[in-house]
């Protein structure tokens, strides 16, 4: 059975409405949302275990949340633990000797305790466990030793995707002839969507319609440093990008940014639906409006609304963020606000007070505020007004039904 957009995680993470929020507001809302799910579903639920496990990780940088540390794909393990089928130990260090693994200062979620009234989580100084098999899911290293150049002493391939333009074109002469696809992994969203977008850019380069910026290596370096600062709690994961910011930045290069709709129903979908690749087929190079509409018209305009109270936050900031962004834009133009966190190097840092004074989508990849961005303001105000009216109507119907049933 086909799910509605509001039944998948992306409606909470990659819609225009949610990426319009300042990062600090989003992180606070995320903490509260996960906690509400814990309370709603009970102390021994999958949702409760998720909160207990990821909460301490996100709290290392509370006002960045999942944008400072990359969420792991642990749904299956957490579900098994919540059903009492699995023990989970989270420890900063572990030492293996023969068949014994010693976990230092672990947090232990024991299956036997998950379905009782006892405390679910226990902390120890050390836990020794004997195993028959240990599977180390530690990921992979980047190794491009199989790629050789005519002059390896002067022309080398940097294995760090954060030095590649759009995580695709390595610096130096290689970037003009070599492109990598699949090395942009969004912390929320999907690798295939990002791969498709950058492949469209590669195609335009190959047929001669576009050219790489002359300073593409310099741009990549600046963007990579900003990424490292943003995802500072996951320093070894060099593939991570912000889905919507990355997609929009490459779409601007291709010439296929999502079309700003004129129909009120389409405005709601544009603002509240996950920014699927079909939105980037609505106009410009490679446009296919028929295919895009065949996807979007499967769903009603209110099929991707976030749950309360996150929806209320989205509606409120849909109205107020244009003013916040406008003041930021004006101050930026007048050089009143420092452009970087440190203020010392304006080209190599995240924007000053970036967690609070701008929408999340404007933090990375040179998506800095421009007058062009304000063209979408009527759309977000119209969409927010119609969503607010819809929710108020639903509430009145519910109240009326309750009164009549008395």
């Amino acid at each position: 059975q086909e799910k509605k957009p509001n039944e998948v995680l992306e409606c909470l993470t990659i819609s225009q409405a949610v990426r319009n929020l300042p990062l600090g507001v989003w992180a606070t809302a995320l903490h509260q949302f996960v906690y509400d799910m814990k309370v709603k579903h009970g102390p021994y639920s999958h949702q409760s275990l998720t909160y207990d496990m990821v909460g301490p990780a996100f709290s290392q940088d509370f006002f960045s949340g999942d944008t400072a540390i990359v969420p792991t794909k642990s749904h299956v393990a957490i579900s098994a633990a919540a059903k009492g089928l699995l023990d989970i130990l989270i420890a900063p260090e572990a030492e293996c000797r023969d068949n014994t693994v010693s976990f230092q200062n672990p947090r232990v979620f024991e299956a036997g305790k998950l379905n009782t009234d006892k405390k679910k989580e226990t902390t120890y100084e050390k836990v020794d466990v004997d195993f028959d098999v240990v599977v180390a899911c530690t990921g992979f290293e980047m190794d491009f030793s199989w790629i050789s150049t005519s002059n390896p002493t002067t022309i080398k391939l940097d294995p760090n995707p954060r030095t590649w333009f759009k995580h695709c074109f390595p610096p130096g002469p290689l970037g003009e002839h070599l492109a990598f696809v699949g090395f942009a992994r969004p912390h929320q969203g999907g690798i295939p969507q990002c791969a498709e977008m950058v492949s469209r850019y590669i195609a335009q380069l190959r047929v001669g319609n576009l050219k790489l910026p002359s300073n593409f290596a310099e741009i990549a370096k600046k963007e990579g440093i900003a990424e490292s600062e943003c995802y500072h709690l996951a320093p070894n994961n060099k593939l991570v990008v912000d889905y919507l910011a990355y997609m929009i930045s490459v779409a601007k290069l291709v010439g296929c940014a999502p079309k700003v709709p004129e129909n009120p129903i389409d405005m709601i979908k544009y603002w509240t639906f996950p920014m699927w690749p079909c939105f980037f087929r609505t106009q410009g190079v490679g446009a296919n409006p028929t295919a895009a509409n065949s996807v979007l018209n499967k769903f009603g305009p209110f099929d991707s609304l976030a749950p309360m109270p996150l929806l209320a936050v989205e509606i409120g900031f849909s109205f107020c963020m244009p003013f916040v962004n406008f003041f930021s834009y004006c101050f930026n133009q007048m050089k009143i606000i420092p452009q970087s966190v440190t203020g010392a190097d304006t080209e190599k840092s995240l924007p000053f007070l970036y967690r609070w004074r701008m929408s999340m989508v404007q933090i990375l990849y040179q998506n800095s505020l421009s007058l062009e961005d304000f063209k979408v303001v009527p759309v977000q105000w119209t969409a927010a007004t119609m969503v607010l009216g819809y929710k108020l109507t639903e509430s009145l119907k519910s109240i009326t039904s309750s009164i009549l049933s008395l």
Side-chain angles (χ1 to χ4, degrees):
Q1 184 178 359
E2 194 170 69
K3 292 182 179 293
K4 294 181 178 180
N6 61 2
E7 295 179 299
V8 297
L9 178 64
E10 281 74 15
C11 91
L12 301 178
T13 57
I14 62 170
S15 70
Q16 294 268 36
V18 77
R19 303 313 287 180
N20 171 65
L21 300 175
L23 178 58
V25 174
W26 156 246
T28 303
L30 177 63
H31 282 283
Q32 187 61 45
F33 175 75
V34 178
Y35 178 75
D36 288 346
M37 291 296 100
K38 171 181 178 175
V39 173
K40 178 180 178 180
H41 294 279
Y44 309 117
S45 64
H46 171 195
Q47 292 81 2
S48 178
L49 186 56
T50 298
Y51 177 83
D52 291 338
M53 290 181 62
V54 305
F58 287 172
S59 295
Q60 294 179 63
D61 185 349
F62 186 92
F63 293 115
S64 291
D66 67 333
T67 307
I69 188 167
V70 183
T72 56
K73 310 303 181 185
S74 51
H75 175 84
V76 174
I78 294 176
S79 295
K83 295 175 182 177
L85 303 175
L86 182 70
D87 293 336
I88 295 180
L89 288 81
I90 302 177
E93 296 181 8
E95 181 181 354
C96 299
R97 290 185 178 180
D98 298 325
N99 291 344
T100 302
V101 179
S102 298
F103 297 92
Q104 308 297 325
N105 300 312
R107 298 167 58 218
V108 181
F109 299 84
E110 296 181 70
K113 294 183 179 179
L114 288 176
N115 296 313
T116 72
D117 58 358
K118 299 179 181 178
K119 185 179 179 181
K120 181 169 51 175
E121 177 190 350
T122 309
T123 303
Y124 301 91
E125 290 186 6
K126 180 181 178 183
V127 172
D128 293 333
V129 185
D130 292 333
F131 293 100
D132 295 324
V133 177
V134 174
V135 180
C137 302
T138 54
F140 302 89
E141 292 183 351
M142 304 282 280
D143 181 7
F144 295 101
S145 59
W146 50 278
I147 297 179
S148 60
T149 64
S150 57
N151 191 345
T153 58
T154 58
I155 303 177
K156 297 180 180 180
L157 175 60
D158 190 330
N160 179 5
R162 286 188 176 159
T163 65
W164 306 350
F165 183 61
K166 302 306 175 187
H167 282 237
C168 181
F169 305 93
L174 284 177
E176 299 175 2
H177 306 282
L178 184 64
F180 293 90
V181 176
F183 289 83
R185 179 223 159 177
H187 78 286
Q188 299 284 6
I191 293 176
Q193 295 94 316
C194 294
E196 178 196 3
M197 180 58 69
V198 80
S199 294
R200 294 171 67 180
Y201 182 48
I202 294 170
Q204 293 303 307
L205 293 171
R206 292 297 298 165
V207 299
N209 292 339
L210 296 173
K211 291 184 178 180
L212 281 171
S214 58
N215 61 336
F216 73 90
E218 181 183 347
I219 295 172
K221 182 179 179 180
K222 295 174 184 176
E223 292 181 348
I225 291 173
E227 281 181 338
S228 296
E229 291 182 9
C230 191
Y231 300 104
H232 64 95
L233 295 180
N236 296 322
N237 195 333
K238 306 296 186 183
L239 304 182
V240 183
V241 301
D242 181 281
Y243 171 82
L244 189 53
Y246 177 86
M247 292 284 282
I248 288 177
S249 72
V250 180
K252 288 178 179 178
L253 294 171
V254 176
C256 63
K259 182 180 180 180
V260 178
E262 299 176 354
N263 182 302
I265 297 300
D266 293 337
M267 290 180 182
I268 299 172
K269 294 180 179 180
Y270 173 88
W271 193 244
T272 63
F273 276 38
M275 261 298 116
W276 295 323
C278 62
F279 281 102
F280 297 89
R281 294 285 183 178
T282 52
Q283 68 174 358
V285 176
N288 191 337
T290 301
N293 290 331
S294 69
V295 175
L296 297 174
N297 291 340
K298 290 181 179 180
F299 308 105
F302 303 109
D303 282 348
S304 190
L305 301 185
M308 296 292 279
L310 178 58
L311 179 61
V313 175
E314 290 181 354
I315 293 173
F317 277 85
S318 292
F319 289 115
C320 73
M321 276 310 293
F323 298 102
V324 176
N325 286 333
F326 180 71
F327 283 122
S328 288
Y329 172 77
C330 292
F331 291 156
N332 287 345
Q333 299 304 306
M334 294 184 287
K335 308 298 182 182
I336 293 176
I337 297 179
Q339 296 299 298
S340 67
V341 175
T342 62
D345 191 338
T346 60
E347 301 295 335
K348 294 187 177 181
S349 303
L350 294 170
F352 183 70
L353 292 177
Y354 68 94
R355 292 181 179 90
W356 303 106
R357 71 176 181 91
M358 60 180 59
S359 301
M360 286 187 282
V361 75
Q362 272 121 24
I363 294 175
L364 297 171
Y365 313 116
Q366 299 187 319
N367 289 329
S368 54
L369 282 166
S370 67
L371 291 176
E372 189 75 16
D373 295 314
F374 293 97
K375 289 184 178 180
V376 77
V377 171
V379 172
Q380 68 186 73
W381 281 351
T382 301
T385 300
M386 295 185 71
V387 170
L388 179 61
Y390 170 75
K391 296 302 291 185
L392 289 175
T393 302
E394 270 197 334
S395 298
L396 287 174
K397 287 181 179 179
S398 178
I399 293 171
T400 302
S401 176
S402 298
I403 294 173
L404 293 176
S405 65
L406 294 177

